[in-house]
């Protein structure tokens, strides 16, 4: 989730548990602690372009790591709040904010290692986009009213509204999945796998990726709140097998990076249709019915030991914007 929403949720969650005289301190501590898990973006290497992807939302987002991270946060914040809070309360507010960020990230479409190291696999509920202004608005209103009216009830109301919105996202996700199953049946496809992900800033339009063998389809599905789902059929492409792609030598740097990326992308790699020698993660695209991945790696088959390049393609033309708005409106 975006850092503003993380800070808002951490602030509301910590404030909801605070005593009257500690509310301002709890709000600040919860907001700061909720930002700490995403410091994992600083884990990077100039010689390894996949390191950031490898550790993003990894151990820093684990519930088992959270107590230690909250302790570290408490030590840094102690000089500022030692006269106003006991060590126990300071730690409790930091832990509340930190855990709120981990739990919220699991609800988005990017995998989170919530139970690492017990479960060495990213979890993703795919029920809300990484930026959703409606969800953030609930938290802004709750925090503002709680501060202005000095009533703790508004924090609990905000958390209840946030939970209800996530529940609505879960319901919309299920409706989109059922629509994708119907679309696959109309195509005569027996899907081995269907991936449903929300599009940016809403829970109405969803990206459906359907897999049968090595063939994959990307479609957009609009799930209105009060009308039937509507599908926008997209293109199809072929998934790549890293062991066969361009016959890379197994001991080469290119092969090792490609196979790592294959695992990080949950086996959803395709050749980018517009960029030469670029393999991308099909789970993410600028348009929900597109087979042009948003990011990928560039590999030179003629020089398999050359450094791998990470490519981000966020091209968004006026025509693409018009199409996205059309699908969101259900036209």
């Amino acid at each position: 989730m975006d850092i503003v929403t993380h800070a808002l949720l951490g602030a509301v969650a910590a404030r909801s548990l605070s005593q009257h005289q500690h509310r301002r301190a709890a709000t600040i501590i919860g907001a700061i602690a909720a930002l700490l898990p995403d410091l994992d973006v600083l884990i990077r290497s100039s010689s390894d372009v996949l390191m950031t992807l490898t550790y993003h939302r990894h151990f820093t987002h684990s519930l088992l790591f959270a107590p230690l991270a909250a302790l570290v946060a408490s030590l840094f914040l102690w000089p500022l709040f030692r006269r106003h809070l006991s060590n126990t309360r300071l730690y409790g507010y930091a832990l509340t904010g930190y855990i709120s960020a981990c739990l919220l990230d699991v609800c988005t479409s990017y995998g989170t290692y919530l139970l690492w190291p017990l479960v060495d696999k990213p979890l993703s509920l795919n029920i809300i986009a990484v930026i959703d202004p409606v969800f953030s608005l609930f938290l802004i209103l709750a925090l503002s009213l709680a501060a202005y009216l000095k009533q703790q009830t508004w924090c609990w109301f905000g958390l209840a509204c946030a939970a209800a919105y996530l529940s609505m996202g879960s319901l919309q996700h299920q409706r989109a999945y059922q629509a994708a199953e119907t679309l696959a049946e109309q195509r005569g496809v027996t899907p081995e796998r269907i991936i449903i992900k929300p599009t940016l800033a809403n829970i109405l339009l969803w990206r459906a990726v359907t897999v049968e063998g090595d063939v994959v389809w990307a479609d957009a599905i609009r799930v209105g709140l009060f009308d039937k789902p509507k599908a926008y059929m997209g293109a199809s492409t072929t998934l790549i097998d890293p062991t066969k792609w361009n016959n890379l030598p197994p001991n080469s740097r290119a092969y090792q990076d490609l196979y790592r990326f294959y695992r990080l992308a949950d086996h959803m790699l395709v050749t980018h249709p517009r960029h030469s020698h670029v393999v991308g993660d099909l789970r993410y695209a600028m348009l929900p019915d597109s087979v042009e991945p948003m990011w990928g790696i560039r590999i030179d088959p003629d020089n398999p030991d050359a450094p791998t390049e990470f490519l981000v393609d966020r091209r968004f033309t006026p025509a693409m914007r018009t199409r996205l708005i059309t699908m969101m409106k259900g036209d």
Side-chain angles (χ1 to χ4, degrees):
M1 208 72 177
D2 65 278
I3 59 174
V4 174
T5 305
H6 273 314
L8 287 170
L9 181 59
V12 172
R15 188 184 181 100
S16 69
L17 300 177
S18 66
Q19 295 182 340
H20 177 76
Q21 66 272 27
H22 301 151
R23 288 175 183 173
R24 180 176 297 180
T27 302
I28 297 173
I29 294 169
I32 293 175
L35 300 178
L36 299 183
D38 283 337
L39 289 179
D40 58 10
V41 297
L42 300 178
I43 303 175
R44 57 183 65 236
S45 170
S46 59
S47 61
D48 183 1
V49 297
L50 295 177
M51 181 172 286
T52 301
L53 283 183
T54 301
Y55 288 104
H56 183 45
R57 296 198 184 179
H58 200 275
F59 69 93
T60 62
H61 286 68
S62 171
L63 294 180
L64 300 179
F65 180 78
L68 177 59
L71 177 60
V72 174
S74 300
L75 293 176
F76 277 100
L77 294 172
W78 180 77
L80 297 176
F81 296 98
R82 61 187 177 86
R83 296 182 179 179
H84 309 285
L85 296 172
S86 67
N87 294 340
T88 302
R89 292 193 181 278
L90 173 58
Y91 177 78
Y93 298 146
L95 182 61
T96 299
Y98 196 96
I99 289 179
S100 73
C102 300
L103 295 178
L104 182 57
D105 275 341
V106 171
C107 297
T108 65
S109 59
Y110 194 93
T112 302
Y113 286 79
L114 187 68
L115 301 177
W116 182 90
L118 298 181
V119 179
D120 192 19
K121 183 179 181 180
L123 305 176
S124 177
L125 298 181
N126 296 317
I127 60 177
I128 190 173
V130 292
I131 297 177
D132 193 309
V134 175
F135 183 84
S136 302
L137 182 60
F138 285 137
L139 299 175
I140 292 173
L141 290 176
L143 193 60
S144 300
L145 290 172
Y148 181 74
L149 300 176
K150 303 185 185 305
Q151 294 180 0
Q152 203 75 334
T153 307
W154 288 107
C155 286
W156 290 103
F157 178 75
L159 293 176
C161 289
Y165 189 79
L166 293 175
S167 298
M168 177 61 72
S170 179
L171 176 61
Q172 292 287 86
H173 177 276
Q174 184 60 32
R175 294 179 65 198
Y177 188 93
Q178 293 172 349
E181 287 184 317
T182 301
L183 184 58
E185 183 179 353
Q186 294 173 352
R187 282 192 173 116
V189 170
T190 303
E192 300 170 6
R193 186 180 182 191
I194 297 177
I195 300 174
I196 303 294
K197 292 185 178 294
T199 59
L200 193 65
N202 75 101
I203 56 173
L204 296 178
L205 187 63
W206 300 76
R207 176 174 174 82
V209 179
T210 305
V211 181
E212 183 187 47
D214 62 350
V215 181
V216 59
W217 291 263
D219 304 298
I221 297 179
R222 184 187 185 276
V223 185
L225 298 178
F226 305 106
D227 51 2
K228 294 182 179 180
K230 183 173 183 178
Y232 295 86
M233 298 178 67
S236 65
T237 187
T238 303
L239 296 174
I240 72 165
D241 182 346
T243 64
K244 301 177 181 178
W245 189 77
N246 281 328
N247 296 316
L248 296 173
N251 60 345
S252 66
R253 176 173 183 169
Y255 178 87
Q256 294 171 6
D257 284 346
L258 179 61
Y259 195 78
R260 284 177 60 200
F261 191 40
Y262 177 70
R263 295 183 60 188
L264 290 169
D266 200 14
H267 304 174
M268 299 298 295
L269 293 185
V270 299
T271 301
H272 200 290
R274 291 192 304 104
H275 297 286
S276 177
H277 298 155
V278 171
V279 174
D281 184 349
L282 188 64
R283 296 176 300 169
Y284 305 97
M286 293 301 293
L287 286 177
D289 60 343
S290 172
V291 292
E292 295 187 5
M294 191 182 301
W295 58 65
I297 57 175
R298 189 191 303 276
I299 293 176
D300 184 359
D302 298 325
N303 189 10
D305 289 317
T308 303
E309 177 187 356
F310 189 79
L311 177 73
V312 177
D313 183 3
R314 290 196 175 96
R315 181 181 63 98
F316 199 63
T317 65
M320 294 169 67
R321 184 182 300 110
T322 300
R323 177 162 177 76
L324 181 62
I325 293 175
T326 297
M327 290 188 289
M328 290 186 65
K329 292 170 61 178
D331 293 341

